[in-house]
Amino acid sequence: MTHYWLLKSEPSCFSIDDLARRPKQTTFWDGVRNYQARNLLRDTIKIGDKAFFYHSNATPPGIIGIVDIVSNGTPDKSALNPEDEHYDPTATPDNPRWYGVDVRLEKKFSRLISLDELKLHPGLAEMQVTRRGNRLSVTPVTRNEWQRILAIIDRDAH
DNA sequence: GCCAACGTTGGC
DNA sequence: GCCAACGTTGGC
């Protein structure tokens, strides 16, 4: 069964357009350094799931598209690379500590659905990403929330 | 195991 | 750039 997620990225670091330029519009979602998010990436998110691509620390922040999850969780090798900005000296090949998944761009929305809009929408205001103080970069999205957002985009297209 | 200090996230 | 929220670290 397909599950739905929201993945945050700062567009100044990695944007949906950056993903669109990658070979096969696919990349390894690396650099997550929070245990709760790590557990989701390692254990819970599976091939065939889908996720919203969320631009955080943007003006405005919001949901900008959809990615398909195209691998199960695998060790995040960026933690092992001293040259990488996400290097973690406590990670080892035997105990990789951090995980990620491969994602492929499914769709960039015709417009960004801003955080403000989510908060104002009765069916979306309870999304985890709208909660004050929420810092988790990987959060679950309910089937209803997923379909409501698709309906907004679909409506705009007509 | 507590908790103060510190670092990071991310909206504004 | 500010700062509230929250996660992590480390002394005790």
Side-chain angles (χ1 to χ4, degrees):
Chain A
M1 168 158 161
T2 302
H3 288 92
Y4 301 103
W5 308 93
L6 180 146
L7 302 175
K8 290 184 191 173
S9 181
E10 300 193 19
S12 63
C13 178
F14 186 78
S15 72
I16 197 162
D17 291 328
D18 292 327
L19 177 57
R21 285 189 288 267
R22 290 295 171 98
K24 299 181 183 174
Q25 301 193 324
T26 300
T27 197
F28 182 70
W29 197 266
D30 65 6
V32 172
R33 296 292 179 267
N34 167 283
Y35 288 106
Q36 208 178 334
R38 186 281 308 266
N39 292 345
L40 293 173
L41 291 168
R42 187 187 59 187
D43 307 327
T44 314
I45 300 181
K46 297 297 178 189
I47 287 184
D49 286 357
K50 293 173 178 291
F52 290 128
F53 195 122
Y54 179 90
H55 278 173
S56 64
N57 245 318
T59 50
I63 295 172
I64 188 60
I66 295 175
V67 297
D68 295 320
I69 309 301
V70 295
S71 82
N72 292 332
T74 56
D76 180 350
K77 295 194 213 42
S78 72
L80 302 174
N81 177 7
E83 305 300 314
D84 195 283
E85 63 175 320
H86 300 297
Y87 176 59
D88 179 351
T90 68
T92 65
D94 281 348
N95 186 6
R97 192 163 190 172
W98 303 114
Y99 284 73
V101 295
D102 290 309
V103 304
R104 181 177 59 216
L105 182 64
E106 179 183 316
K107 176 179 191 173
K108 181 183 176 182
F109 290 163
S110 50
R111 70 176 180 90
L112 179 133
I113 301 179
S114 72
L115 179 60
D116 281 347
E117 184 172 352
L118 297 177
K119 288 177 176 172
L120 287 170
H121 190 296
L124 300 172
E126 300 306 313
M127 287 182 74
Q128 234 172 284
V129 73
T130 65
R131 294 181 194 164
R132 192 170 61 110
N134 165 61
R135 290 169 44 184
L136 205 58
S137 63
V138 179
T139 52
V141 171
T142 69
R143 174 173 296 270
N144 279 339
E145 290 162 350
W146 184 269
Q147 290 174 347
R148 284 178 188 125
I149 287 171
L150 293 197
I152 290 170
I153 290 299
D154 194 48
R155 187 190 62 213
D156 284 0
H158 297 104

